[in-house]
Amino acid sequence: MSICVRNTPRADKAVVEGFAGIGVATVHEAQGRTGLLASYMRPIYRPAHIVGSAVTCEVAPGDNWMIHVAVEQCQPGDILVVTPTSPCEDGYFGDLLAASLMSRGVRGLIMEAGVRDASTLTEMGFPVWSKAIFAQGTVKETIANVNVPVVCAGQLVNPGDIIVADDDGVVVVRRKDAAQVLEKSRAREEKEAKTRARLSAGELGLDIYGFRDRLAAKGLKYVDYEGD
Amino acid sequence: MSICVRNTPRADKAVVEGFAGIGVATVHEAQGRTGLLASYMRPIYRPAHIVGSAVTCEVAPGDNWMIHVAVEQCQPGDILVVTPTSPCEDGYFGDLLAASLMSRGVRGLIMEAGVRDASTLTEMGFPVWSKAIFAQGTVKETIANVNVPVVCAGQLVNPGDIIVADDDGVVVVRRKDAAQVLEKSRAREEKEAKTRARLSAGELGLDIYGFRDRLAAKGLKYVDYEGD
Amino acid sequence: MSICVRNTPRADKAVVEGFAGIGVATVHEAQGRTGLLASYMRPIYRPAHIVGSAVTCEVAPGDNWMIHVAVEQCQPGDILVVTPTSPCEDGYFGDLLAASLMSRGVRGLIMEAGVRDASTLTEMGFPVWSKAIFAQGTVKETIANVNVPVVCAGQLVNPGDIIVADDDGVVVVRRKDAAQVLEKSRAREEKEAKTRARLSAGELGLDIYGFRDRLAAKGLKYVDYEGD
Amino acid sequence: MSICVRNTPRADKAVVEGFAGIGVATVHEAQGRTGLLASYMRPIYRPAHIVGSAVTCEVAPGDNWMIHVAVEQCQPGDILVVTPTSPCEDGYFGDLLAASLMSRGVRGLIMEAGVRDASTLTEMGFPVWSKAIFAQGTVKETIANVNVPVVCAGQLVNPGDIIVADDDGVVVVRRKDAAQVLEKSRAREEKEAKTRARLSAGELGLDIYGFRDRLAAKGLKYVDYEGD
Amino acid sequence: MSICVRNTPRADKAVVEGFAGIGVATVHEAQGRTGLLASYMRPIYRPAHIVGSAVTCEVAPGDNWMIHVAVEQCQPGDILVVTPTSPCEDGYFGDLLAASLMSRGVRGLIMEAGVRDASTLTEMGFPVWSKAIFAQGTVKETIANVNVPVVCAGQLVNPGDIIVADDDGVVVVRRKDAAQVLEKSRAREEKEAKTRARLSAGELGLDIYGFRDRLAAKGLKYVDYEGD
Amino acid sequence: MSICVRNTPRADKAVVEGFAGIGVATVHEAQGRTGLLASYMRPIYRPAHIVGSAVTCEVAPGDNWMIHVAVEQCQPGDILVVTPTSPCEDGYFGDLLAASLMSRGVRGLIMEAGVRDASTLTEMGFPVWSKAIFAQGTVKETIANVNVPVVCAGQLVNPGDIIVADDDGVVVVRRKDAAQVLEKSRAREEKEAKTRARLSAGELGLDIYGFRDRLAAKGLKYVDYEGD
């Protein structure tokens, strides 16, 4: 038996929108370096940057049937997160499904497999992070689950978790932790802006962060070049 | 002994040109999901989209000598398809060979290995699908065959077969099947345009394709979220 | 014990600047097809093309501490070359370190690991060749060496060696060989410009390079197509 | 902050031992094809087959410090499950740690990274499933969590979940589902033994499983060879 | 529509058996270095060495239904060659299918995907060359073709072609070429036995093969070590 | 021009033999975690363990000619280290070359490419570490250098350096450092033997190494399980 769970919760709208413009690296740091999907999840065009609530979808290898089921569960502001039950590079998703998701206000797709119609998706401005771009088609024979917790590219994603994706990858934030992670992300951004200004002005990280003593204590020695 | 076959046939010109603008995914579907080269064959710049008749060329690993032989066999409208006899990522092809092919009216290169001078090829507007971009040079010591059937990135390609390549990959169409595949491709495009309009207007694939009954029969259950 | 070597030599400035605009493939050829880093070293944006003197930096896996030490050793015209002591895809380098390097006149980064803040680095126009783009952060716990000879992506790089990097990859030129390699590179460029003009005019490589006799001697036979 | 959770629950001992001798493929099937770790998790020697309760351990890349913390939490019948916070192939584990685990009655190691001293581990008869065998050493600088839920090779593993590992890979069974999965696994084994006897006697799967009608309905046609 | 072709031809039995004990490398050389499947096709246990006639079978990704169809077409002395229509590592084949094939006298399996029950297959002595060992199960929903020409691991295989497989990989010999390839293989074996005896006695390949002059002509210089 | 350097130095015989039986991981640790070749260098059979002096050999991709040149430079106690000038998986080396090397007292081969005749090499007891096992043959057309410094699998190897290889991989020791590394390796072995005895007796690494305070200082907290 497979299930499709309806009426899953979303995070507070103000919190979700608060992540707009905050980078994946910052969010990942702000929540203690957790929640980052594997490095093979890459945007099909760059730059791209989205935030939204996860609708999760399992699919069989080479079978995109359940994506059609998941589409109906999507609301404006959602991001669809799809993961196959065994590794697959087939092109599960193309311009027709993108048109359907865009009509529902969905902000993007996180697909741990392949997608196709890459040039059309780019023209449409529908952002996708995937493992591959590949024209190989899929069938519609096998069912699986929608809106259950899934492991996508090495991370657990629950329906309603917040997804942030940009050129550096994809990070998932637990719904209940979102407000706190947002606050820490903003604090980090402010601090980094100040540090960046000092570094651009020529100050060294060695001095700003006070590394010189710790490095000496670990045993770092400076010597002059003696070759030639 | 190695051979270079001359005067190989091309597909009907009208049929070849008919594929212009039709996507690889569509052609792959129209011929029953066959003929797609492996997903590691990627365009060196995007977007890119070509159609043409295959001239086939085997090369030894790290040896691009036979490409020079193949160039002479190319005519306007051809696409050169090159495959090494054992896997190799060397840069077999650069701006000089591209200049030579462009002077003969060749439309692009399908290279199951590496190419180099990628930025110059991009400026020249010569489209290439390859396994790698890599400056590593090759030698000219070992001969092989030109215009014999080859296996390129997992697919059999005969001289005179039609090649369609775009951002989603590369597909080969048998010469004798080309007219029929073209007809089916066009029919599919028309049908998809209509479906896309309905999906963009908010209709669901579940309804358009009549999936609801089949999904229920397979055992899909809808349940309401009970967490939190 | 780890060391940071100061006052390492740089190549003659005129020689270094002489490489500006010469492609990696040309330099690689000019020095006898040596010095090319592995094909997985890719630019984070294209086109990109830099030349400069190497400052070398070892890092522990998942630990970018020593990059901060290396920054201080950099001068205008340098390129920072970073290699981990065991394979790693973490994001060692982002916009803060780039701001620091840019303030010192550094021309780019060669990173045999991952980098992050890719879209910001692109906006800043700071060129990077890396193995991955990945938001995963690193720690600052373990020391290693700066400005010692390192193996980066399969090639030995000494501090003060010349680095040339473009869309085709990255090549290292020994400091003492640089003047000679530059001369050979220029000669090669001139020769290729002439050959390219002839090829563009329709002459065949088979004739320009005199391949026909050698091919026949190796056993290449021309036959006419007999199928269909 | 990092935590080490003590006194985590184990599954019922009789249930755990019940899985002894049941293959990973059977368990994976019995729980609806869920819980299978990625295919790159391979035994360092074959044949090998273990069952036990998971103790989970996160480690930093290139840093095996937390394994020492996890050892103390292990009891007879446990299996240690270790996962790095970013991908790593270093040799985190060798004969010393194996000696320590064996002295505590631990049955094996599931390591989503590298191990070393492979020949000694083989002589000692300590079974390990890992992503690599590699001599590269690790440091002891960074802390992480022990006995929290982890994602290992694509699957969520909680402390106290049951691990079954053999030559086909590694599967995780939720503690609360274990009795039911064991029952289904045994039923499946009995059924397969009967089917295997019939197949060995020459009966065809086409007949035993009643496939002929379904295949015909899908459109399978039998034709006689017409080549040559 | 899919087809299953019956009564495909086999090569002459005496010729097939003649290949027994001849290595894959020898056969590959004897037929001009053609016909070798990709290097990722590895035996599940070693040593292993089989020869036989190919029965070919296409399968959908994650779907092993057509293997059951192919089994019925197998005769004593056959080797089953299975290839998925898009890349897949699932465990398509286990001890039940092996029992069925052994009851029909089939000599082994060439599977461009995963297999499972690896330890049982090893005990049964049923040789398999595959891309992966993985417990992941498959479904039975999608049909494909049996005994049509297929591309398996980069090589075209026709039903009735001869397959030779050993620890070095898998090679396919065209049915019509088989007698000639066998003769050349035997000649090569005899010649190599003599050469090996000379080499074991201390003669150098440089002298046996007459390489010294050719190497000098290419520009090889001998110099004495001048370091230290 | 290519060169073959004769009369390269070897390390002191007593020192070389002193490494017999010492594991790669131990040597790698004893020299400060340097010198380890990449993890894809794997033994073709296990267990295997050799020590000896390096004879280095460059080869062109798909071309094993220079191995024949290198053979003549080998003496009893040597290990041949071969690296291609661009990545290649072809089978450069088989039973004939092994017979030749064994007749000269060579102890094994380190091959950053493929080898063939794997089962015969195993029967002969000639140990090989390689990147692949693959029947694909090579040509003899292009020359390169013998006994020059090479980068093999990411490490610089000079002729006369000491190679130690076992199931965990391959490590290179500089000739001039060898005596000191040997001494440290032995010290490490003795220390580890004592530690292993204590761990086998049930003492914890946490106590033996005094980790408890450092872990607490880093912020590790112990908590009791509160689930269920």
Side-chain angles (χ1 to χ4, degrees), chain A residues 8-17 19 50-56 73-81 105-108 110 147 157-164 172-173 175 178:
Chain A
T8 50
R10 268 74 179 179
D12 181 81
K13 193 173 154 51
V15 173
V16 176
E17 302 314 320
F19 282 102
I50 59 172
V51 302
S53 294
V55 168
T56 65
Q73 304 308 314
C74 291
Q75 301 174 1
D78 285 346
I79 292 174
L80 183 56
V81 177
V106 174
R107 294 181 175 171
I110 310 299
N147 271 336
V157 181
N158 303 294
D161 282 345
I162 291 179
I163 298 291
V164 183
V172 58
V173 179
R175 184 163 51 96

Side-chain angles (χ1 to χ4, degrees), chain F residues 69-85:
Chain F
V69 175
V71 167
E72 191 180 25
Q73 305 308 316
C74 291
Q75 301 174 0
D78 285 344
I79 293 175
L80 183 56
V81 177
V82 183
T83 189
T85 55

